[in-house]
Amino acid sequence: MYAQMVKSEATNEDPAKLAAFQARIDAGEKIEPKEWMPEGYRKTLIRQIGQHAHSEIVGQLPEGNWITRAPTLERKAILLAKVQDEAGHGLYLYCAAETLGVSRDELTEALLSGKMKYSSIFNYPTLNWADIGAVGWLVDGAAIMNQVPLQRTSFGPYSRAMIRICKEESFHQRQGYDIMMKMAKGTPEQKAMAQDALNRFWYPSLMMFGPSDKDSVHSAQSMAWKIKINTNDELRQKFVDQTVPQAEYLGLTIPDPDLRWNEEKGGYDFSEPDWSEFFEVIKGNGPCNAERMEARQKAWDDGAWFREGLMAHARKRSAAKVAAE
Ligand code: BYC
């Protein structure tokens, strides 16, 4: 439906302007906020950057759940820093979206009313400490695989936000892998916990890249505009190829009996995730959707006094400025 809306709007736009815009994209130029852009380009960016920002913010919840129960002081400090980084990523991304003419309040309202999505992965629970390792290793690993190419995305503010975010994500992935190494090389019980976490997070991590290319409604247009640089399936394949040797090093087994190296394609053949589960999760019916939205709604309500205080302070300052003039 959204893709149709983009198309019909695009037809009302000046073909010469559209062609000149596409030529700039094809030449690898960055598009900056005050420059002319097709309405569909602007809306697609707001949707993608907004969803990305919401994912960073909601993504704090499954890991935040373990800050108070981290096994050592060092692990607690590292996890705390990582979760704070995610908040920062959300803020850079909301700022990038704001340059397109949408406010952070509007984006938050769209999240809370269910009009905007956030990544499916954050609707799965983190049941124990090994899950924090699996999230860092697999979820941040998948996030980096998707975000490194986005550093070259055509919209300037998004691309620049991605450069900083990717540096931090790489530390996040390493901290997750480090937890997995400790657990997988630990006692038999710890190794079993690590395997169980891999079993539960493997397919949800593969789903992070979005539906298969044949079902991806936005990919073709987003790639023509260089909002996306790769297809969902290309990135999923690269993620599997990168992760399998990492699992082997840990002595863990990827929960896919059909996983095997395909010499001809130079990559692994692997089983697709259960796409009906994915579509249910993004419709709001995943294991933790209700809990995540309640937490975000509560945070928004609890922050009302602070937002109102800031506005009152701004009004007083501007009134004092006017009085002094
Ligand atoms: N979850 O046409 P498609 C992180 C939706 S957070 C939910 O392929 P597109 C981190 C899609 O929105 C990682 N929904 O879409 C944070 C569309 O629905 P609408 C977040 C999904 O946009 C804390 C429909 O399915 N990363 O790094 O071309 C701790 C059809 O899909 C998902 C980003 O957001 C999903 N997984 O491609 C740790 C990266 N997949 O909007 C880590 C930026 C698809 O029409 N985003 N949908 O209602 C992207 O690269 C692209 O938006 C996607 C999807 C590849 C995700």
Side-chain angles (χ1 to χ4, degrees):
M1 198 172 85
Y2 181 85
Q4 281 164 5
M5 193 168 85
V6 168
K7 259 192 199 145
S8 62
E9 270 167 6
T11 51
N12 296 330
E13 287 169 330
D14 178 356
K17 273 187 169 174
L18 285 170
F21 179 82
Q22 190 61 48
R24 291 189 62 199
I25 298 272
D26 295 344
E29 279 184 43
K30 291 273 178 263
I31 308 300
E32 296 300 335
K34 289 190 176 157
E35 294 171 341
W36 186 85
M37 60 185 77
E39 192 50 18
Y41 178 84
R42 195 180 70 84
K43 285 198 168 151
T44 302
L45 279 170
I46 291 176
R47 179 183 63 80
Q48 180 166 321
I49 302 173
Q51 289 183 2
H52 195 164
H54 296 326
S55 305
E56 300 283 356
I57 298 298
V58 178
Q60 295 177 99
L61 297 169
E63 291 180 289
N65 182 33
W66 281 88
I67 292 172
T68 53
R69 290 173 286 164
T72 67
L73 181 60
E74 192 189 14
R75 291 285 181 200
K76 188 199 277 281
I78 294 170
L79 184 60
L80 191 59
K82 177 189 190 294
V83 172
Q84 281 176 342
D85 283 352
E86 310 298 1
H89 298 174
L91 298 187
Y92 312 149
L93 288 163
Y94 284 129
C95 289
E98 279 178 323
T99 68
L100 292 155
V102 62
S103 71
R104 205 198 301 178
D105 285 5
E106 286 170 300
L107 290 170
T108 305
E109 202 276 317
L111 171 72
L112 297 178
S113 66
K115 275 190 227 134
M116 271 184 102
K117 297 188 169 73
Y118 56 91
S119 182
S120 50
I121 189 72
F122 302 118
N123 293 307
Y124 291 86
T126 43
L127 302 178
N128 58 47
W129 181 252
D131 287 8
I132 299 304
V135 167
W137 172 35
L138 300 173
V139 175
D140 288 275
I144 300 172
M145 193 54 84
N146 168 278
Q147 290 171 9
V148 164
L150 289 178
Q151 294 175 110
R152 289 180 286 118
T153 192
S154 60
F155 185 57
Y158 191 25
S159 143
R160 292 187 285 274
M162 277 299 126
I163 293 171
R164 177 150 181 194
I165 290 176
C166 283
K167 289 201 172 86
E168 293 176 350
E169 293 291 6
S170 127
F171 149 74
H172 296 172
Q173 197 268 354
R174 280 155 187 248
Q175 70 84 38
Y177 196 68
D178 188 62
I179 294 174
M180 291 306 273
M181 271 204 294
K182 275 277 183 302
M183 305 271 308
K185 312 276 176 202
T187 63
E189 289 80 5
Q190 285 172 317
K191 185 170 180 185
M193 281 172 73
Q195 180 64 54
D196 170 59
L198 169 58
N199 293 349
R200 282 179 293 106
F201 276 93
W202 176 250
Y203 287 104
S205 300
L206 296 188
M207 292 175 194
M208 285 177 71
F209 297 96
S212 348
D213 291 351
K214 64 177 171 31
D215 296 318
S216 169
V217 283
H218 302 297
S219 281
Q221 180 60 80
S222 288
M223 287 177 73
W225 277 329
K226 295 192 187 159
I227 289 175
K228 274 170 89 163
I229 309 296
N230 300 90
T231 73
N232 301 352
D233 285 339
E234 278 168 8
L235 292 175
R236 195 169 7 252
Q237 178 72 55
K238 281 179 83 171
F239 174 74
V240 172
D241 294 345
Q242 172 186 281
T243 309
V244 172
Q246 294 171 350
E248 281 166 0
Y249 183 77
L250 293 172
L252 299 180
T253 309
I254 302 279
D256 177 358
D258 295 326
L259 181 86
R260 56 187 55 83
W261 179 254
N262 179 332
E263 193 62 48
E264 210 176 304
K265 80 171 179 188
Y268 285 90
D269 289 332
F270 58 94
S271 304
E272 293 274 310
D274 175 353
W275 289 118
S276 60
E277 175 181 320
F278 168 78
F279 286 112
E280 275 304 305
V281 171
I282 66 173
K283 261 199 280 171
N285 303 325
C288 298
N289 295 62
E291 187 183 327
R292 302 297 183 231
M293 292 312 290
E294 267 168 38
R296 290 314 307 151
Q297 184 67 57
K298 182 174 182 313
W300 181 249
D301 294 344
D302 289 352
W305 68 272
F306 186 69
R307 292 191 301 278
E308 284 161 17
L310 285 177
M311 294 307 287
H313 178 66
R315 276 194 300 274
K316 276 188 189 165
R317 278 190 70 158
S318 68
K321 201 172 159 218
V322 170
E325 277 166 8

